[in-house]
Each structure stands twice: as C-alpha cells, then as structure tokens.
C-alpha cells in the first residue's frame, strides 16, 4: 500500500499503522519505532528469539546490553529489583523523556538483553506512537538505535530503511514511521545502581535538569565510558570529521581543504543547541550521501544539550 508520507520510496516495511506494529511485537517480530531521541530497533524484551534477531540485524556483538522501553513509570517494579526513592522522583519528573536509568534487574529481564549484567537500562520514550505501541502490546520493548553497528543513529524512517531495509523481513517486521525524531541525539544514561548515581552518556536531557530534580550532583563517568560498547566509531560518518572552535576557524580550514581538492561541508549551528541536536545525524548522513570527504564541525557551547553534541562530535572526530 503506497503511503503518501513515504516520498519516493514506497516499501512494504514502512507503515504509520500502530496496530500492525503491535501485531509484529506480539508475534515476536521486530519494529523499528520512532522515539523522541532516535529510532530504535525493537522487539519483545522477554522473547529470546526476537532479542537474538535484534543483535543479528544490527550486527552488534551480543555482550552489548539493550535498553528496555516501558510504557510508564508504574512498570518500573516489573523490570527492576530495587527502585530507590530518587529513581521514582526522576521517573516522575523526567519520563516520558530522554533519560535512561540503569537499575538492578528483576528476574523478568533475560540475560540476552543485559549481556549477563546485573543491571538493566529502562526508559519511557516521549513519542506518542512509541507510547501507543508499548501500551497496546503490553510488552517491554528492548531496542538499541536502529542503525547497523558502528553507524550514525537514524532520526527518520528513511534512515532506518537505508540501513536495515534489506535485513528486515516484510512478512514479520515493520518500520513505524513517526516522522523526524524531535530531539535527535540519544538518551542521557545514568547508572542509578551506584551511589552517587553516575552519568554514563550525556544525551537528550541535560545533566543539570536531572541534578535539579535530585537536589544533588551526579558523578561523571571516570575514565573510559562505563556504558558497554560505546565506541568512538558509533557516531562516525564515512567522511573524516574535524572539529573547529569557531565559525571563522571552520571557514579558514575549509578553504585550505577545498584548495587541496577535498569535498568539504561545514556544520555550524551557532548557539542553537536544539537545532544542532535535531539536525546533526541527518546532516552527517546527508554529507556522506553527497560524497563529502571532510566535515568540519563547529563545536557548540558546553552547556545543556551542548554536552551531548560535543560528545558525539568528539567521538566522530576520533574515529579513524
Ligand atoms: O535514546 C536512546 O537511548 C535510544 C532510543 C532507541 O531509546 N537507544 C539507544 O540504544 O541509544 P543503544 O543501544 O544504541 O545505546 C545504549 C547504550 C549502549 O552503549 C549500551 O551498551 C549501553 O547503553 N547500555 C544499555 N544497558 C546497559 C547496562 N545495563 N549497563 C551498561 N551499559 C548499558
Ligand atoms: Mg546506538
């Protein structure tokens, strides 16, 4: 069935029909679902066959744990063994939203989801279609970002189709098209199983907002990131990424590189952090599609959402 929102790529995998996605999840199939951060490649978290296919389709090593998406904070006790008071406060104030909390897992969480760890990452996504899918399926949905392992995360259904279209099965899987992800960078991950809680990945909700709810400071992750499998290459396009501290510096470097015969694109969002987060991954994919060999990115200010964008850009620049 042609879907007018599909532009030039009609494809049996893509749908706006949540009921079809619910049927897929319940039958053990995969659903690439829109969230406010990025698209996730979801499956029933308690179905080992579905979880195994997530790893296979993504090409991800099985030791890297998956976030379990839940319909509401009330489901916390189903998935976590212990839920401290401060976690309930964070859930109440920040969910639905781009916050993932690591908690001691309950017996319901299979080893396949956590890679055998004793913690599970939980989050309630702030996207109406994802919430509808979660509520109507009655399942926890395990989902990593819906890109091939090591590529930039998808922020549109088309990105998912480009990366995974040939690996998904139209007979049992769907890509649920919920438009462009409004936040555009992945969730902030906080390990709430340690004291004080520790930030493992800066993301869509600023750390200061979380600290304001807690009334105390979070610990920064010491040394190499403790979130499993967070490699620099995860955020890298094919083009080489170079960082610049100002628009002027970016223009000067672009002139030099262009004179040397390179196809250069400057990414400069000024002080607009919301636009930067929302646009970054689509712009990196677009640069690759246009044959750009070098992206020169102007670093946004290190405040609020700027931390997450700087983190992703720094990783993209380090990946070579
Ligand atoms: O915004 C997001 O978080 C998106 C959307 C789809 O929800 N998901 C996402 O998932 O970014 P993923 O798998 O691409 O990144 C989650 C990161 C991975 O590096 C994973 O290994 C780590 O979090 N992680 C998940 N559960 C963990 C746990 N129990 N212990 C340590 N690291 C964990
Ligand atoms: Mg990812």
């Amino acid at each position: 069935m042609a879907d007018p929102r599909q532009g030039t790529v009609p494809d049996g995998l893509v749908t706006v029909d949540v009921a079809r996605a619910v049927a897929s999840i319940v039958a053990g199939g995969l659903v690439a679902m829109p969230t406010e951060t990025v698209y996730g490649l979801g499956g029933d978290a308690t179905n080992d066959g579905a979880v195994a296919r997530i790893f296979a389709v993504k090409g991800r090593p099985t030791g890297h744990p998956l976030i379990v998406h839940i319909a509401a904070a009330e489901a916390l006790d189903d998935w976590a063994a212990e839920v401290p008071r401060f976690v309930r406060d964070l859930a109440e104030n920040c969910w639905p939203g781009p916050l993932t909390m690591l908690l001691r897992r309950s017996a319901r969480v299979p080893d396949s989801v956590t890679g055998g760890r004793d913690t599970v990452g939980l989050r309630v996504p702030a996207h109406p279609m994802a919430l509808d899918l979660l509520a109507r399926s009655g399942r926890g949905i395990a989902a990593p970002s819906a890109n091939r392992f090591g590529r930039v995360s998808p922020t549109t259904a088309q990105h998912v189709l480009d990366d995974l279209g040939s690996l998904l099965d139209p007979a049992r899987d769907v890509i649920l098209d919920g438009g462009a992800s409004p936040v555009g960078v992945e969730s902030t991950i906080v390990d709430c199983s340690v004291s004080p809680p520790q930030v493992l990945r800066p993301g869509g909700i600023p750390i200061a907002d979380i600290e304001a709810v807690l009334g105390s400071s979070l610990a920064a992750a010491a040394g190499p990131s403790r979130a499993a499998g967070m490699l620099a290459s995860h955020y890298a396009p094919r083009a080489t990424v170079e960082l610049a501290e100002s628009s002027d510096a970016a223009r000067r470097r672009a002139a030099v590189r262009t004179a040397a015969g390179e196809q250069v694109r400057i990414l400069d969002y000024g002080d607009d952090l919301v636009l930067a987060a929302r646009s970054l991954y689509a712009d990196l994919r677009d640069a690759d599609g246009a044959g750009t060999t070098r992206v020169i990115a102007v670093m946004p200010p290190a405040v609020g959402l700027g931390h997450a964008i700087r983190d992703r850009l720094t990783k993209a620049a380090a990946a070579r």
Side-chain angles (χ1 to χ4, degrees), residues 247-289:
S247 305
D248 283 349
R251 276 195 293 271
R252 280 195 301 275
R253 289 201 212 154
V256 173
R257 298 292 187 183
T258 304
E262 289 201 50
Q263 295 292 318
V264 179
R265 177 166 319 185
I266 293 178
L267 293 187
D268 184 1
Y269 306 101
D271 290 340
D272 194 339
L273 298 172
V274 170
L275 177 72
R278 186 179 291 158
S279 313
L280 179 63
Y281 291 152
D283 286 347
L284 290 175
R285 282 173 180 264
D286 191 59
D288 276 345

mmCIF file of all heavy atoms in Angstrom, residues 247-289:
data_model
loop_
_atom_site.group_PDB
_atom_site.id
_atom_site.type_symbol
_atom_site.label_atom_id
_atom_site.label_comp_id
_atom_site.label_asym_id
_atom_site.label_seq_id
_atom_site.Cartn_x
_atom_site.Cartn_y
_atom_site.Cartn_z
ATOM 1 N N SER A 247 33.301 29.661 14.019
ATOM 2 C CA SER A 247 32.891 29.687 12.606
ATOM 3 C C SER A 247 34.050 30.149 11.724
ATOM 4 O O SER A 247 34.274 29.613 10.632
ATOM 5 C CB SER A 247 31.715 30.638 12.415
ATOM 6 O OG SER A 247 30.667 30.286 13.277
ATOM 7 N N ASP A 248 34.797 31.139 12.192
ATOM 8 C CA ASP A 248 35.932 31.650 11.409
ATOM 9 C C ASP A 248 36.980 30.570 11.197
ATOM 10 O O ASP A 248 37.487 30.393 10.086
ATOM 11 C CB ASP A 248 36.585 32.845 12.131
ATOM 12 C CG ASP A 248 35.759 34.113 11.960
ATOM 13 O OD1 ASP A 248 34.829 34.097 11.116
ATOM 14 O OD2 ASP A 248 36.044 35.105 12.662
ATOM 15 N N ALA A 249 37.294 29.866 12.270
ATOM 16 C CA ALA A 249 38.302 28.800 12.154
ATOM 17 C C ALA A 249 37.821 27.742 11.163
ATOM 18 O O ALA A 249 38.596 27.241 10.347
ATOM 19 C CB ALA A 249 38.563 28.176 13.522
ATOM 20 N N ALA A 250 36.521 27.421 11.211
ATOM 21 C CA ALA A 250 35.981 26.408 10.297
ATOM 22 C C ALA A 250 36.123 26.874 8.850
ATOM 23 O O ALA A 250 36.518 26.104 7.971
ATOM 24 C CB ALA A 250 34.517 26.140 10.630
ATOM 25 N N ARG A 251 35.814 28.147 8.604
ATOM 26 C CA ARG A 251 35.904 28.665 7.230
ATOM 27 C C ARG A 251 37.337 28.656 6.717
ATOM 28 O O ARG A 251 37.592 28.307 5.575
ATOM 29 C CB ARG A 251 35.318 30.076 7.164
ATOM 30 C CG ARG A 251 33.798 30.066 6.988
ATOM 31 C CD ARG A 251 33.280 31.429 6.563
ATOM 32 N NE ARG A 251 33.448 32.405 7.624
ATOM 33 C CZ ARG A 251 32.520 32.621 8.577
ATOM 34 N NH1 ARG A 251 31.384 31.958 8.560
ATOM 35 N NH2 ARG A 251 32.734 33.512 9.523
ATOM 36 N N ARG A 252 38.274 29.033 7.584
ATOM 37 C CA ARG A 252 39.692 29.026 7.174
ATOM 38 C C ARG A 252 40.144 27.624 6.803
ATOM 39 O O ARG A 252 40.769 27.399 5.783
ATOM 40 C CB ARG A 252 40.581 29.573 8.304
ATOM 41 C CG ARG A 252 40.601 31.098 8.395
ATOM 42 C CD ARG A 252 41.752 31.587 9.263
ATOM 43 N NE ARG A 252 41.692 31.072 10.642
ATOM 44 C CZ ARG A 252 40.985 31.645 11.625
ATOM 45 N NH1 ARG A 252 40.295 32.746 11.388
ATOM 46 N NH2 ARG A 252 40.987 31.121 12.836
ATOM 47 N N ARG A 253 39.784 26.661 7.648
ATOM 48 C CA ARG A 253 40.213 25.283 7.378
ATOM 49 C C ARG A 253 39.527 24.726 6.146
ATOM 50 O O ARG A 253 40.112 23.972 5.382
ATOM 51 C CB ARG A 253 39.895 24.399 8.559
ATOM 52 C CG ARG A 253 40.810 24.731 9.698
ATOM 53 C CD ARG A 253 40.854 23.567 10.622
ATOM 54 N NE ARG A 253 41.045 24.080 11.949
ATOM 55 C CZ ARG A 253 40.661 23.465 13.042
ATOM 56 N NH1 ARG A 253 40.033 22.318 12.943
ATOM 57 N NH2 ARG A 253 40.901 23.983 14.192
ATOM 58 N N ALA A 254 38.267 25.101 5.967
ATOM 59 C CA ALA A 254 37.536 24.601 4.798
ATOM 60 C C ALA A 254 38.199 25.102 3.521
ATOM 61 O O ALA A 254 38.323 24.361 2.532
ATOM 62 C CB ALA A 254 36.081 25.047 4.859
ATOM 63 N N ALA A 255 38.671 26.361 3.532
ATOM 64 C CA ALA A 255 39.306 26.924 2.340
ATOM 65 C C ALA A 255 40.562 26.126 1.993
ATOM 66 O O ALA A 255 40.806 25.797 0.820
ATOM 67 C CB ALA A 255 39.644 28.398 2.576
ATOM 68 N N VAL A 256 41.337 25.786 3.017
ATOM 69 C CA VAL A 256 42.580 25.031 2.800
ATOM 70 C C VAL A 256 42.271 23.650 2.230
ATOM 71 O O VAL A 256 42.864 23.201 1.252
ATOM 72 C CB VAL A 256 43.373 24.906 4.125
ATOM 73 C CG1 VAL A 256 44.581 23.990 3.950
ATOM 74 C CG2 VAL A 256 43.791 26.287 4.624
ATOM 75 N N ARG A 257 41.314 22.983 2.833
ATOM 76 C CA ARG A 257 40.982 21.620 2.397
ATOM 77 C C ARG A 257 40.380 21.620 0.993
ATOM 78 O O ARG A 257 40.652 20.721 0.191
ATOM 79 C CB ARG A 257 39.973 20.994 3.370
ATOM 80 C CG ARG A 257 40.487 20.836 4.779
ATOM 81 C CD ARG A 257 41.574 19.806 4.862
ATOM 82 N NE ARG A 257 41.941 19.561 6.253
ATOM 83 C CZ ARG A 257 42.919 18.733 6.621
ATOM 84 N NH1 ARG A 257 43.617 18.081 5.708
ATOM 85 N NH2 ARG A 257 43.197 18.554 7.882
ATOM 86 N N THR A 258 39.537 22.610 0.713
ATOM 87 C CA THR A 258 38.922 22.675 -0.609
ATOM 88 C C THR A 258 39.989 22.909 -1.671
ATOM 89 O O THR A 258 39.963 22.284 -2.736
ATOM 90 C CB THR A 258 37.859 23.798 -0.644
ATOM 91 O OG1 THR A 258 36.921 23.555 0.405
ATOM 92 C CG2 THR A 258 37.116 23.820 -1.969
ATOM 93 N N ALA A 259 40.951 23.783 -1.343
ATOM 94 C CA ALA A 259 42.053 24.053 -2.295
ATOM 95 C C ALA A 259 42.859 22.787 -2.555
ATOM 96 O O ALA A 259 43.420 22.608 -3.635
ATOM 97 C CB ALA A 259 42.952 25.159 -1.734
ATOM 98 N N ALA A 260 42.870 21.893 -1.563
ATOM 99 C CA ALA A 260 43.610 20.634 -1.730
ATOM 100 C C ALA A 260 42.773 19.573 -2.439
ATOM 101 O O ALA A 260 43.170 18.415 -2.551
ATOM 102 C CB ALA A 260 44.062 20.124 -0.356
ATOM 103 N N GLY A 261 41.582 19.976 -2.906
ATOM 104 C CA GLY A 261 40.773 19.061 -3.715
ATOM 105 C C GLY A 261 39.743 18.258 -2.943
ATOM 106 O O GLY A 261 39.109 17.356 -3.500
ATOM 107 N N GLU A 262 39.550 18.555 -1.665
ATOM 108 C CA GLU A 262 38.566 17.799 -0.886
ATOM 109 C C GLU A 262 37.149 18.353 -1.065
ATOM 110 O O GLU A 262 36.964 19.528 -1.373
ATOM 111 C CB GLU A 262 38.936 17.831 0.605
ATOM 112 C CG GLU A 262 40.167 17.001 0.920
ATOM 113 C CD GLU A 262 40.222 16.613 2.389
ATOM 114 O OE1 GLU A 262 39.206 16.098 2.893
ATOM 115 O OE2 GLU A 262 41.266 16.848 3.009
ATOM 116 N N GLN A 263 36.157 17.458 -0.862
ATOM 117 C CA GLN A 263 34.749 17.859 -0.837
ATOM 118 C C GLN A 263 34.403 18.153 0.611
ATOM 119 O O GLN A 263 34.292 17.232 1.414
ATOM 120 C CB GLN A 263 33.860 16.732 -1.350
ATOM 121 C CG GLN A 263 34.070 16.376 -2.820
ATOM 122 C CD GLN A 263 33.613 17.496 -3.726
ATOM 123 O OE1 GLN A 263 32.563 18.099 -3.491
ATOM 124 N NE2 GLN A 263 34.409 17.804 -4.741
ATOM 125 N N VAL A 264 34.271 19.443 0.954
ATOM 126 C CA VAL A 264 34.139 19.826 2.362
ATOM 127 C C VAL A 264 32.721 20.299 2.682
ATOM 128 O O VAL A 264 32.096 20.986 1.865
ATOM 129 C CB VAL A 264 35.137 20.960 2.700
ATOM 130 C CG1 VAL A 264 34.990 21.387 4.162
ATOM 131 C CG2 VAL A 264 36.569 20.517 2.415
ATOM 132 N N ARG A 265 32.221 19.927 3.859
ATOM 133 C CA ARG A 265 30.984 20.520 4.353
ATOM 134 C C ARG A 265 31.210 21.049 5.773
ATOM 135 O O ARG A 265 31.775 20.346 6.603
ATOM 136 C CB ARG A 265 29.850 19.500 4.370
ATOM 137 C CG ARG A 265 28.597 20.149 4.959
ATOM 138 C CD ARG A 265 27.308 19.417 4.747
ATOM 139 N NE ARG A 265 27.117 18.819 3.432
ATOM 140 C CZ ARG A 265 25.968 18.231 3.083
ATOM 141 N NH1 ARG A 265 24.952 18.208 3.910
ATOM 142 N NH2 ARG A 265 25.848 17.661 1.906
ATOM 143 N N ILE A 266 30.762 22.288 6.004
ATOM 144 C CA ILE A 266 30.844 22.864 7.349
ATOM 145 C C ILE A 266 29.515 22.633 8.062
ATOM 146 O O ILE A 266 28.452 22.878 7.486
ATOM 147 C CB ILE A 266 31.151 24.382 7.276
ATOM 148 C CG1 ILE A 266 32.555 24.612 6.711
ATOM 149 C CG2 ILE A 266 31.024 25.024 8.664
ATOM 150 C CD1 ILE A 266 32.928 26.092 6.562
ATOM 151 N N LEU A 267 29.569 22.153 9.291
ATOM 152 C CA LEU A 267 28.370 22.067 10.135
ATOM 153 C C LEU A 267 28.507 23.128 11.214
ATOM 154 O O LEU A 267 29.413 23.074 12.037
ATOM 155 C CB LEU A 267 28.245 20.699 10.802
ATOM 156 C CG LEU A 267 27.977 19.490 9.920
ATOM 157 C CD1 LEU A 267 27.723 18.257 10.802
ATOM 158 C CD2 LEU A 267 26.797 19.732 8.992
ATOM 159 N N ASP A 268 27.606 24.101 11.176
ATOM 160 C CA ASP A 268 27.702 25.213 12.129
ATOM 161 C C ASP A 268 26.290 25.622 12.521
ATOM 162 O O ASP A 268 25.554 26.191 11.723
ATOM 163 C CB ASP A 268 28.447 26.384 11.454
ATOM 164 C CG ASP A 268 28.685 27.546 12.405
ATOM 165 O OD1 ASP A 268 28.289 27.448 13.588
ATOM 166 O OD2 ASP A 268 29.277 28.552 11.956
ATOM 167 N N TYR A 269 25.900 25.298 13.754
ATOM 168 C CA TYR A 269 24.545 25.597 14.216
ATOM 169 C C TYR A 269 24.509 26.815 15.137
ATOM 170 O O TYR A 269 23.480 27.079 15.768
ATOM 171 C CB TYR A 269 23.961 24.375 14.932
ATOM 172 C CG TYR A 269 24.014 23.106 14.105
ATOM 173 C CD1 TYR A 269 25.000 22.150 14.328
ATOM 174 C CD2 TYR A 269 23.102 22.885 13.077
ATOM 175 C CE1 TYR A 269 25.061 20.984 13.572
ATOM 176 C CE2 TYR A 269 23.159 21.729 12.314
ATOM 177 C CZ TYR A 269 24.139 20.784 12.562
ATOM 178 O OH TYR A 269 24.203 19.643 11.809
ATOM 179 N N GLY A 270 25.647 27.504 15.243
ATOM 180 C CA GLY A 270 25.694 28.660 16.129
ATOM 181 C C GLY A 270 25.353 28.247 17.556
ATOM 182 O O GLY A 270 25.797 27.204 18.029
ATOM 183 N N ASP A 271 24.528 29.046 18.213
ATOM 184 C CA ASP A 271 24.163 28.748 19.604
ATOM 185 C C ASP A 271 22.867 27.957 19.702
ATOM 186 O O ASP A 271 22.357 27.744 20.797
ATOM 187 C CB ASP A 271 23.984 30.058 20.395
ATOM 188 C CG ASP A 271 25.310 30.758 20.615
ATOM 189 O OD1 ASP A 271 26.354 30.078 20.514
ATOM 190 O OD2 ASP A 271 25.300 31.974 20.878
ATOM 191 N N ASP A 272 22.307 27.557 18.557
ATOM 192 C CA ASP A 272 21.009 26.876 18.589
ATOM 193 C C ASP A 272 21.201 25.379 18.864
ATOM 194 O O ASP A 272 21.304 24.561 17.952
ATOM 195 C CB ASP A 272 20.285 27.101 17.257
ATOM 196 C CG ASP A 272 18.814 26.711 17.343
ATOM 197 O OD1 ASP A 272 18.456 25.913 18.251
ATOM 198 O OD2 ASP A 272 18.033 27.192 16.505
ATOM 199 N N LEU A 273 21.237 25.028 20.138
ATOM 200 C CA LEU A 273 21.538 23.650 20.541
ATOM 201 C C LEU A 273 20.416 22.691 20.169
ATOM 202 O O LEU A 273 20.665 21.533 19.829
ATOM 203 C CB LEU A 273 21.801 23.598 22.048
ATOM 204 C CG LEU A 273 23.009 24.428 22.499
ATOM 205 C CD1 LEU A 273 23.074 24.482 24.019
ATOM 206 C CD2 LEU A 273 24.289 23.844 21.933
ATOM 207 N N VAL A 274 19.181 23.166 20.227
ATOM 208 C CA VAL A 274 18.043 22.300 19.880
ATOM 209 C C VAL A 274 18.120 21.926 18.397
ATOM 210 O O VAL A 274 17.985 20.764 18.013
ATOM 211 C CB VAL A 274 16.707 22.990 20.219
ATOM 212 C CG1 VAL A 274 15.528 22.225 19.651
ATOM 213 C CG2 VAL A 274 16.576 23.132 21.737
ATOM 214 N N LEU A 275 18.402 22.929 17.566
ATOM 215 C CA LEU A 275 18.551 22.669 16.130
ATOM 216 C C LEU A 275 19.750 21.760 15.866
ATOM 217 O O LEU A 275 19.676 20.840 15.040
ATOM 218 C CB LEU A 275 18.727 23.996 15.376
ATOM 219 C CG LEU A 275 18.964 23.832 13.871
ATOM 220 C CD1 LEU A 275 17.682 23.394 13.169
ATOM 221 C CD2 LEU A 275 19.509 25.111 13.251
ATOM 222 N N ALA A 276 20.845 21.994 16.576
ATOM 223 C CA ALA A 276 22.052 21.190 16.378
ATOM 224 C C ALA A 276 21.766 19.718 16.665
ATOM 225 O O ALA A 276 22.109 18.830 15.880
ATOM 226 C CB ALA A 276 23.180 21.695 17.270
ATOM 227 N N ALA A 277 21.125 19.454 17.812
ATOM 228 C CA ALA A 277 20.837 18.062 18.183
ATOM 229 C C ALA A 277 19.893 17.421 17.169
ATOM 230 O O ALA A 277 20.095 16.295 16.726
ATOM 231 C CB ALA A 277 20.230 18.008 19.582
ATOM 232 N N ARG A 278 18.884 18.171 16.764
ATOM 233 C CA ARG A 278 17.859 17.636 15.865
ATOM 234 C C ARG A 278 18.428 17.361 14.471
ATOM 235 O O ARG A 278 17.984 16.471 13.765
ATOM 236 C CB ARG A 278 16.722 18.654 15.768
ATOM 237 C CG ARG A 278 15.534 18.195 15.007
ATOM 238 C CD ARG A 278 14.477 19.269 14.999
ATOM 239 N NE ARG A 278 13.888 19.467 16.318
ATOM 240 C CZ ARG A 278 13.273 20.584 16.697
ATOM 241 N NH1 ARG A 278 13.172 21.613 15.866
ATOM 242 N NH2 ARG A 278 12.756 20.673 17.892
ATOM 243 N N SER A 279 19.431 18.134 14.060
ATOM 244 C CA SER A 279 19.922 18.073 12.682
ATOM 245 C C SER A 279 21.175 17.227 12.505
ATOM 246 O O SER A 279 21.466 16.783 11.393
ATOM 247 C CB SER A 279 20.258 19.486 12.185
ATOM 248 O OG SER A 279 19.227 20.393 12.477
ATOM 249 N N LEU A 280 21.952 17.066 13.579
ATOM 250 C CA LEU A 280 23.303 16.524 13.438
ATOM 251 C C LEU A 280 23.373 15.213 12.662
ATOM 252 O O LEU A 280 24.105 15.102 11.666
ATOM 253 C CB LEU A 280 23.938 16.334 14.826
ATOM 254 C CG LEU A 280 25.350 15.744 14.818
ATOM 255 C CD1 LEU A 280 26.319 16.684 14.102
ATOM 256 C CD2 LEU A 280 25.823 15.463 16.246
ATOM 257 N N TYR A 281 22.622 14.188 13.090
ATOM 258 C CA TYR A 281 22.770 12.875 12.457
ATOM 259 C C TYR A 281 22.276 12.892 11.008
ATOM 260 O O TYR A 281 22.879 12.267 10.131
ATOM 261 C CB TYR A 281 22.059 11.799 13.270
ATOM 262 C CG TYR A 281 22.716 11.497 14.603
ATOM 263 C CD1 TYR A 281 21.974 11.024 15.673
ATOM 264 C CD2 TYR A 281 24.080 11.677 14.797
ATOM 265 C CE1 TYR A 281 22.571 10.726 16.895
ATOM 266 C CE2 TYR A 281 24.681 11.390 16.014
ATOM 267 C CZ TYR A 281 23.921 10.919 17.058
ATOM 268 O OH TYR A 281 24.505 10.624 18.263
ATOM 269 N N ALA A 282 21.185 13.610 10.751
ATOM 270 C CA ALA A 282 20.683 13.693 9.369
ATOM 271 C C ALA A 282 21.711 14.415 8.495
ATOM 272 O O ALA A 282 21.951 14.023 7.349
ATOM 273 C CB ALA A 282 19.343 14.421 9.332
ATOM 274 N N ASP A 283 22.343 15.447 9.046
ATOM 275 C CA ASP A 283 23.340 16.184 8.257
ATOM 276 C C ASP A 283 24.580 15.331 7.983
ATOM 277 O O ASP A 283 25.166 15.411 6.892
ATOM 278 C CB ASP A 283 23.730 17.475 8.986
ATOM 279 C CG ASP A 283 22.629 18.539 8.919
ATOM 280 O OD1 ASP A 283 21.684 18.370 8.108
ATOM 281 O OD2 ASP A 283 22.717 19.536 9.667
ATOM 282 N N LEU A 284 24.991 14.518 8.952
ATOM 283 C CA LEU A 284 26.145 13.636 8.726
ATOM 284 C C LEU A 284 25.822 12.604 7.643
ATOM 285 O O LEU A 284 26.636 12.330 6.762
ATOM 286 C CB LEU A 284 26.559 12.931 10.025
ATOM 287 C CG LEU A 284 27.190 13.834 11.099
ATOM 288 C CD1 LEU A 284 27.443 13.036 12.378
ATOM 289 C CD2 LEU A 284 28.491 14.479 10.606
ATOM 290 N N ARG A 285 24.615 12.046 7.698
ATOM 291 C CA ARG A 285 24.211 11.088 6.663
ATOM 292 C C ARG A 285 24.126 11.764 5.301
ATOM 293 O O ARG A 285 24.527 11.189 4.284
ATOM 294 C CB ARG A 285 22.840 10.476 6.996
ATOM 295 C CG ARG A 285 22.907 9.396 8.040
ATOM 296 C CD ARG A 285 21.514 8.949 8.455
ATOM 297 N NE ARG A 285 21.606 7.908 9.462
ATOM 298 C CZ ARG A 285 21.550 6.592 9.204
ATOM 299 N NH1 ARG A 285 21.357 6.161 7.968
ATOM 300 N NH2 ARG A 285 21.667 5.709 10.169
ATOM 301 N N ASP A 286 23.599 12.971 5.298
ATOM 302 C CA ASP A 286 23.458 13.710 4.053
ATOM 303 C C ASP A 286 24.833 14.017 3.452
ATOM 304 O O ASP A 286 25.038 13.923 2.244
ATOM 305 C CB ASP A 286 22.691 15.002 4.337
ATOM 306 C CG ASP A 286 22.267 15.690 3.066
ATOM 307 O OD1 ASP A 286 21.535 15.041 2.295
ATOM 308 O OD2 ASP A 286 22.679 16.835 2.837
ATOM 309 N N ALA A 287 25.775 14.363 4.315
ATOM 310 C CA ALA A 287 27.135 14.647 3.841
ATOM 311 C C ALA A 287 27.720 13.410 3.169
ATOM 312 O O ALA A 287 28.301 13.486 2.083
ATOM 313 C CB ALA A 287 28.026 15.098 4.999
ATOM 314 N N ASP A 288 27.549 12.256 3.790
ATOM 315 C CA ASP A 288 28.039 11.013 3.187
ATOM 316 C C ASP A 288 27.370 10.761 1.840
ATOM 317 O O ASP A 288 28.028 10.392 0.868
ATOM 318 C CB ASP A 288 27.781 9.817 4.114
ATOM 319 C CG ASP A 288 28.869 9.660 5.172
ATOM 320 O OD1 ASP A 288 29.946 10.269 5.020
ATOM 321 O OD2 ASP A 288 28.627 8.929 6.153
ATOM 322 N N GLY A 289 26.059 10.981 1.803
ATOM 323 C CA GLY A 289 25.319 10.743 0.573
ATOM 324 C C GLY A 289 25.777 11.648 -0.556
ATOM 325 O O GLY A 289 25.720 11.286 -1.738
#
